[in-house]
Amino acid sequence: YDGLGCSPLESASYIVTVKDVPTLDNGGDLLDSTGSTLLSQEICENGIPQSLLVDVTENSGTGTAFSYQWYSNTTDSTVGGTPISGANASTYTPATSTVVGVTYYYVEVSQSESGCVVVSNTSSVIVTTLPSITDQPTPLTEVCVDGVVELSVVVADGVGTPTYQWFENTTATSIGGTEITGAINATYTPDTSASGIKYYYVEISYAGGCSPVISAVSTVTVVDDPVALISSTDSRLCVGGSIDLSVTTTGGTGTPIYQWYYYTSNPSNVTAIPGATGSIYQTGAELSVEGTYNYYVEVTYDGSGCDLARSNDLEVTVDSNPTLDNDGDLLDSTGSKLLFQEVCQGATPETLYVEVVSPSASGNTVFIYQWYSNTTNSNTGGTPISGANASTYTPATSTVVGVTYYYVEVSQSESGCVVVSN
């Protein structure tokens, strides 16, 4: 004391012991459950990560009990992290349900004595978005037998390398399918050797706690190769006539392309008919000469694997036209030519006759008659006379004064089998 006459006083000794701070094994690295260093791990969203473990060196620090506080951080640093509520054990399992991205974890280990604190290194947890399919297999595919179908899938996100397993099903569902042996790639080529409908889907699996993802169902329809059949029934006509040929097809898929052909006596000497590229073909100038013609059509489908379809051959016979007696002149009741007659108004004229010398070469002996009247001396452009459908016709004279020209058209049921009188 600084008072007058006060002698110094020395206290008893007080011992303060300073220990080294606690230490962590493995240089402060966090560990997994096996005791191996776990510097980083990547898992799927909602996956189950590995627990983090800190190992304190035995008897380090003051040797008393240890307290733990785990921290999360957005940067790779053991400074400035956020304490995790309730994370007060030597192990900690990170949460993965709400965070997508990288989170860094570390732990502070302390003892009750002042300054007895040690901080671990960081361990990162990368949480990846759940895998999703960005490109589904083709939903509907139709091919011919032995056609090629390639199904493929593209997946995004997930952790690690995806593994694929394709399934085949008898219904349009991704449940209960049959695993296809060896179909373990992102693409799969189904068997198309038999016609029918099958359904396919793929299951994609990941490590890292990712749940499998299953694709949409792809429907693959395999149809028989096309078969073509000419369905026309007409097979005879006369020179100048025309008939419609039509083809029907079964099987095949895609857009059909048609090409009609004909030949006469030699099947190897075939002519492709220009412009005859539809399912119906109307015969044309090729039938200008009497004879026998054979037609067929080739049908090509643009669907995968579809073979060319060649139809049956249809034989068409071109006959001569029917001919009239007296070079086509009209006759009177005696069989004489009646080129002209003059009668008074209201009088009874002579009846006009037409006589067929020969029918068409088809052998058809049934004739159809149609009489015409005209204002000019021509057997074209006349007006058909209603009800005048016999081989004879008696002109009307009661209402017409002047000159009227008459002619008759004689025909048979086959196309082109027509002859017109003078």
Side-chain angles (χ1 to χ4, degrees):
Y1 285 84
D2 60 359
L4 182 63
C6 295
S7 298
L9 177 66
E10 184 177 284
S11 72
S13 295
Y14 183 83
I15 299 174
V16 175
T17 302
V18 179
K19 294 279 191 177
D20 289 333
V21 296
T23 58
L24 304 178
D25 286 344
N26 295 284
D29 287 340
L30 296 176
L31 311 175
D32 62 17
S33 60
T34 68
S36 300
T37 299
L38 184 59
L39 299 181
S40 181
Q41 58 180 306
E42 184 177 8
I43 57 175
C44 264
E45 186 179 5
N46 295 320
I48 300 175
Q50 294 190 65
S51 294
L52 304 176
L53 170 68
V54 65
D55 193 2
V56 182
T57 303
E58 188 177 354
N59 297 320
S60 63
T62 64
T64 60
F66 297 97
S67 299
Y68 301 89
Q69 178 61 59
W70 289 85
Y71 291 81
S72 65
N73 209 345
T74 56
T75 61
D76 188 8
S77 173
T78 58
V79 178
T82 302
I84 303 170
S85 177
N88 306 117
S90 61
T91 61
Y92 173 67
T93 303
T96 62
S97 59
T98 58
V99 179
V100 172
V102 182
T103 303
Y104 300 89
Y105 294 93
Y106 62 94
V107 61
E108 181 184 271
V109 182
S110 63
Q111 293 174 303
S112 59
E113 291 79 10
S114 174
C116 295
V117 177
V118 64
V119 179
S120 73
N121 298 328
T122 59
S123 179
S124 63
V125 177
I126 304 167
V127 179
T128 301
T129 303
L130 288 171
S132 62
I133 295 174
T134 58
D135 192 1
Q136 296 280 0
T138 305
L140 295 171
T141 304
E142 186 171 273
V143 297
C144 284
V145 170
D146 293 329
V148 177
V149 179
E150 185 176 84
L151 305 177
S152 63
V153 65
V154 177
V155 67
D157 300 317
V159 177
T161 302
T163 58
Y164 303 86
Q165 179 59 61
W166 289 85
F167 293 82
E168 177 185 297
N169 214 343
T170 56
T171 58
T173 179
S174 58
I175 299 173
T178 300
E179 188 175 294
I180 303 171
T181 302
I184 54 173
N185 297 310
T187 60
Y188 173 64
T189 302
D191 176 25
T192 59
S193 60
S195 60
I197 300 176
K198 291 182 180 178
Y199 306 92
Y200 299 91
Y201 63 92
V202 60
E203 181 177 283
I204 306 165
S205 302
Y206 284 83
C210 300
S211 299
V213 288
I214 298 175
S215 74
V217 175
S218 179
T219 302
V220 176
T221 302
V222 180
V223 300
D224 291 322
D225 282 314
V227 175
L229 179 66
I230 296 178
S231 56
S232 305
T233 56
D234 290 338
S235 60
R236 300 192 78 98
L237 72 162
C238 289
V239 173
S242 178
I243 60 176
D244 287 341
L245 304 178
S246 62
V247 63
T248 57
T249 58
T250 57
T253 183
T255 302
I257 300 172
Y258 304 88
Q259 178 59 60
W260 289 85
Y261 299 85
Y262 80 93
Y263 62 90
T264 51
S265 58
N266 185 358
S268 63
N269 187 18
V270 175
T271 299
I273 305 172
T277 55
S279 61
I280 298 175
Y281 170 63
Q282 185 179 64
T283 59
E286 71 273 8
L287 300 184
S288 60
V289 178
E290 296 177 43
T292 300
Y293 299 77
N294 294 274
Y295 287 88
Y296 68 88
V297 60
E298 289 181 347
V299 185
T300 304
Y301 281 84
D302 60 4
S304 175
C306 296
D307 294 338
L308 180 145
R310 185 194 187 282
S311 75
N312 58 307
D313 288 13
L314 178 68
E315 184 178 276
V316 175
T317 302
V318 180
D319 298 318
S320 61
N321 285 296
T323 57
L324 302 179
D325 199 5
N326 294 286
D327 297 323
D329 287 338
L330 296 177
L331 311 175
D332 61 16
S333 58
T334 67
S336 301
K337 293 182 180 181
L338 184 57
L339 302 181
F340 174 85
Q341 59 179 305
E342 185 176 8
V343 295
C344 278
Q345 185 178 14
T348 301
E350 288 195 61
T351 297
L352 304 175
Y353 291 83
V354 67
E355 185 173 343
V356 180
V357 173
S358 63
S360 68
S362 68
N364 184 1
T365 58
V366 177
F367 300 98
I368 302 167
Y369 300 89
Q370 178 60 61
W371 290 84
Y372 291 80
S373 64
N374 211 346
T375 56
T376 61
N377 186 15
S378 173
N379 61 1
T380 60
T383 301
I385 303 169
S386 177
N389 305 115
S391 60
T392 64
Y393 175 66
T394 303
T397 62
S398 60
T399 58
V400 179
V401 173
V403 180
T404 302
Y405 299 89
Y406 295 93
Y407 64 92
V408 62
E409 179 184 270
V410 182
S411 63
Q412 294 177 295
S413 59
E414 292 83 9
S415 175
C417 297
V418 179
V419 63
V420 180
S421 73
N422 299 328

